[in-house]
Amino acid sequence: MTVRVLVVDDSPTVRGRLVEVLGADPDLEVVGEGADGKQAIELCRSLRPDVVTLDMMMPSMTGLAATEYIMAYCPTPILIISSSTNRRDLFKMYDALAAGAVDVLEKPAGDATDEAWERKLLSTVKLVARIKVITHPRAKLAPLPAPAVEKPASGRYRFVAMGASTGGPAAVLRILKSLPATYPLPILLVIHIGRLFAVGLAEWLDSQSPLRVAYATDGEPLPEPGRGRVILAPPDRHLVVERSRLRLSAAPERHSCRPSVDVLFESAAREWGERTIGCLLTGMGKDGAQGLLEMRQAGGWTTAQDKESSVVYGMPFEAAQRGAAGKILSLDEMAPALTDLAEAGS
């Protein structure tokens, strides 16, 4: 079945390049073009495309405003295509991901032919088009009651290890916003996102979360339980726990990823075993599934996100298939479960 694509970008040159590349693929059909957010909304409502490629910084109405409207009133998979890396524009892109956009891809570089970028564009558009999105109003949803969890022995848990990929920024933010500001355990976090767009992610999460969020620095001590904080793997570096310190590594990619969730989870299992909590969220592929299994086998408490609340049920599915997840939880059940575990084990 042909995938119907709406292309929206205020630059005629970039828009023309996107239309040319997408239109040359027999499995894709460009059904419309727009130059700003208002046109994106109008064309989305009238054409009902399977996927929208959307620039962020446009006149009249930004890509963020268009994303919020589209996801609230005519939900459609959105692929952000951007090139800006300044703080303000990156924050708008993260806000769009939180509002329901599925993924982000860098713009083509100039007029030069880049076959690798073209292949990435085509594969990403096809992937995003297959994702079933839901109405996504920005209103905060009330958290669900905490699911039943096994009560740990006092002081059992040392930290939470968490990983996510496609859909990850929004999922992680939703969990962090639902945790109390007094959450006691440090959270070590890996999110797959393009290196170009990762530089401001910790600062954006920090601005939205009741917990402090910062990138890890090599050799810093693993924070003691007490006042929790979130420590994010920086772009292009694996994050591992080693003898009560955090280490950053430029070791080879795992599952084509650096940072890799598996690398973090495996170090958590190896160094702290039953004193760890593992949490694997939405994402494409299988990164994190084996590491989560090792955490469970070492006695840690493990969970994976359920299919219904995942943007892409890839990584959590792999974990469920391997028996790596002691609990399968919806996104809204994650924070209450983590809170219950931390309070019971404090």
Side-chain angles (χ1 to χ4, degrees):
M1 182 181 295
T2 302
V3 175
R4 303 171 70 253
V5 187
L6 170 62
V7 176
V8 183
D9 196 296
D10 65 318
S11 165
T13 301
V14 173
R15 194 167 65 248
R17 176 83 183 280
L18 293 171
V19 169
E20 178 185 10
V21 175
L22 295 169
D25 190 301
D27 296 326
L28 302 174
E29 177 188 3
V30 178
V31 296
E33 302 177 41
D36 59 39
K38 290 182 66 175
Q39 291 182 13
I41 291 170
E42 293 165 359
L43 291 170
C44 196
R45 297 184 70 172
S46 62
L47 297 174
R48 297 291 178 175
D50 299 313
V51 61
V52 180
T53 69
L54 185 64
D55 187 21
M56 279 288 97
M57 306 312 298
M58 297 182 291
S60 180
M61 179 185 283
T62 65
L64 171 59
T67 298
E68 292 176 333
Y69 187 97
I70 289 169
M71 298 311 298
Y73 296 103
C74 49
T76 307
I78 294 173
L79 172 64
I80 300 168
I81 298 185
S82 179
S83 60
S84 180
T85 57
N86 69 58
R87 179 180 180 276
R88 184 191 67 172
D89 294 348
L90 282 174
F91 273 37
K92 288 185 181 297
M93 184 197 72
Y94 302 139
D95 285 340
L97 291 170
V102 174
D103 208 348
V104 58
L105 183 70
E106 69 268 20
K107 283 187 177 181
D111 298 325
T113 299
D114 184 341
E115 293 183 356
W117 176 84
E118 292 177 2
R119 289 193 298 271
K120 180 67 172 176
L121 171 66
L122 296 174
S123 63
T124 305
V125 166
K126 292 174 183 178
L127 169 68
V128 169
R130 294 198 301 269
I131 294 172
K132 295 182 67 174
V133 295
I134 60 172
T135 301
H136 197 289
R138 292 305 298 266
K140 188 179 186 298
L141 301 178
L144 298 177
V149 298
E150 179 186 354
K151 299 297 184 183
S154 177
R156 172 174 174 180
Y157 294 119
R158 184 68 173 79
F159 63 88
V160 178
M162 184 179 294
S165 185
T166 310
V172 168
L173 179 60
R174 191 151 170 175
I175 291 172
L176 296 184
K177 280 187 169 182
S178 299
L179 291 174
T182 56
Y183 188 75
L185 297 181
I187 299 173
L188 308 183
L189 175 62
V190 168
I191 300 181
H192 298 162
I193 189 168
R195 183 177 181 179
L196 180 69
F197 305 112
V199 291
L201 184 57
E203 187 179 359
W204 176 75
L205 286 171
D206 184 66
S207 72
Q208 304 278 325
S209 166
L211 303 176
R212 297 306 308 269
V213 183
Y215 283 118
T217 57
D218 186 50
E220 70 174 299
L222 175 67
E224 293 290 337
R227 186 62 181 268
R229 49 183 287 225
V230 182
I231 302 175
L232 180 63
D236 202 33
R237 288 294 180 269
H238 295 304
L239 172 62
V240 300
V241 184
E242 186 177 285
R243 291 194 283 276
S244 298
R245 291 191 177 272
L246 305 181
R247 293 294 183 183
L248 302 179
S249 165
E253 295 179 348
R254 186 85 66 88
H255 310 296
S256 301
C257 299
R258 189 172 60 215
S260 161
V261 184
D262 263 337
V263 170
L264 171 62
F265 284 3
E266 289 166 7
S267 74
R270 183 171 59 249
E271 296 287 329
W272 287 94
E274 65 181 13
R275 298 193 64 193
T276 60
I277 298 171
C279 184
L280 187 60
L281 305 176
T282 175
M284 180 177 62
K286 60 183 181 180
D287 188 28
Q290 180 61 33
L292 195 71
L293 178 60
E294 293 186 17
M295 290 183 71
R296 188 178 189 192
Q297 291 172 336
W301 192 93
T302 59
T303 183
Q305 189 173 348
D306 68 359
K307 180 178 181 179
E308 290 71 23
S309 65
S310 294
V311 172
V312 178
Y313 191 53
M315 288 158 44
F317 173 75
E318 287 287 338
Q321 288 289 97
R322 298 178 191 211
K327 289 278 186 180
I328 304 295
L329 300 178
S330 72
L331 186 58
D332 284 331
E333 291 175 316
M334 292 287 180
L338 294 177
T339 301
D340 196 3
L341 288 165
E343 291 176 350
S346 62

